[in-house]
């Protein structure tokens, strides 16, 4: 497996409860390095574009409202097999189905307010990283 980069978001439910450090500790303990990170408050337009793939889903409007309800921490994570590794550390979308010790099992409030985002493929990771970060902001 090769060293990869993936894109991560610590979602508003987690920043609201001051969980950034605890989530970062799980990412780092899982072998991922945070090579870029910033705290932002997404606009409606930014959230709609980021989640554009879900625009026909019934939860789209609610998801955009949630993702713009407070600050988020956007991150680039680097490590061996980083895309799949981060999905493993996050756990299943619905915290009720997430494995013990995962971010979502430990911290998520609901299937929507599930504390973390992680890219689902290497291709999408590259697109999502480029949406939020310039190359100069990523220090490997
Ligand atoms: P993922 O974040 O595990 O990749 P996706 O299916 O890509 O899951 O969904 C994106 C986000 O949309 C989820 O993380 C969650 O916040 C929200 N979401 C997904 N499914 C539902 C649902 O059935 N109801 C409400 N929100 C949902
Ligand atoms: Mg997804």
């Amino acid at each position: 497996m090769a060293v990869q980069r993936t894109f991560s978001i610590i979602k508003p439910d987690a920043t609201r409860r001051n969980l950034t450090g605890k989530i970062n500790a799980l990412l780092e303990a899982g072998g991922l390095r945070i090579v870029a990170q910033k705290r932002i408050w997404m606009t409606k337009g930014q959230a709609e574009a980021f989640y554009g793939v879900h625009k026909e889903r019934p939860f789209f409007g609610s998801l955009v409202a949630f993702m713009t309800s407070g600050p988020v921490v956007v991150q680039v994570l680097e490590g061996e097999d980083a895309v799949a590794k981060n999905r493993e550390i996050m756990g299943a979308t619905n915290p009720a189905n997430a494995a013990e010790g995962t971010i979502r099992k430990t911290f998520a409030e609901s299937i929507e307010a599930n504390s973390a985002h992680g890219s689902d493929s290497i291709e999408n990771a590259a697109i999502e990283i480029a949406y939020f970060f310039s190359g100069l902001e990523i220090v490997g």
Side-chain angles (χ1 to χ4, degrees):
M1 278 299 167
V3 173
Q4 297 170 353
R5 284 178 176 173
T6 192
F7 177 72
S8 163
I9 305 179
I10 299 176
K11 293 185 179 183
D13 67 286
T15 62
R16 190 178 297 125
R17 288 174 290 149
N18 216 18
L19 294 171
T20 298
K22 287 191 167 130
I23 289 174
N24 281 350
L26 290 178
L27 297 171
E28 292 181 338
L32 296 173
R33 184 176 299 276
I34 301 163
V35 295
Q37 174 170 262
K38 58 190 173 188
R39 184 171 166 107
I40 63 169
W41 195 318
M42 271 197 244
T43 65
K44 186 163 181 269
Q46 287 169 342
E48 283 173 348
F50 179 73
Y51 279 120
V53 64
H54 295 306
K55 64 177 180 295
E56 306 303 336
R57 309 276 288 275
F59 58 81
F60 181 70
S62 177
L63 176 61
V64 168
F66 163 62
M67 290 300 291
T68 57
S69 68
V72 300
V73 177
V74 292
Q75 305 175 308
V76 180
L77 309 177
E78 188 177 87
E80 285 288 320
D81 206 14
V83 172
K85 172 58 74 175
N86 184 41
R87 300 282 309 184
E88 186 187 317
I89 296 167
M90 279 198 308
T93 308
N94 186 343
N97 302 329
E100 284 300 327
T102 61
I103 291 169
R104 285 164 164 175
K105 181 70 172 187
T106 308
F107 298 120
E109 295 180 322
S110 67
I111 190 171
E112 178 178 84
N114 60 2
S115 302
H117 165 86
S119 307
D120 61 7
S121 68
I122 296 173
E123 296 72 25
N124 284 337
I127 292 166
E128 292 173 2
I129 288 168
Y131 188 62
F132 287 101
F133 290 96
S134 78
L136 285 171
E137 294 177 299
I138 304 168
V139 183

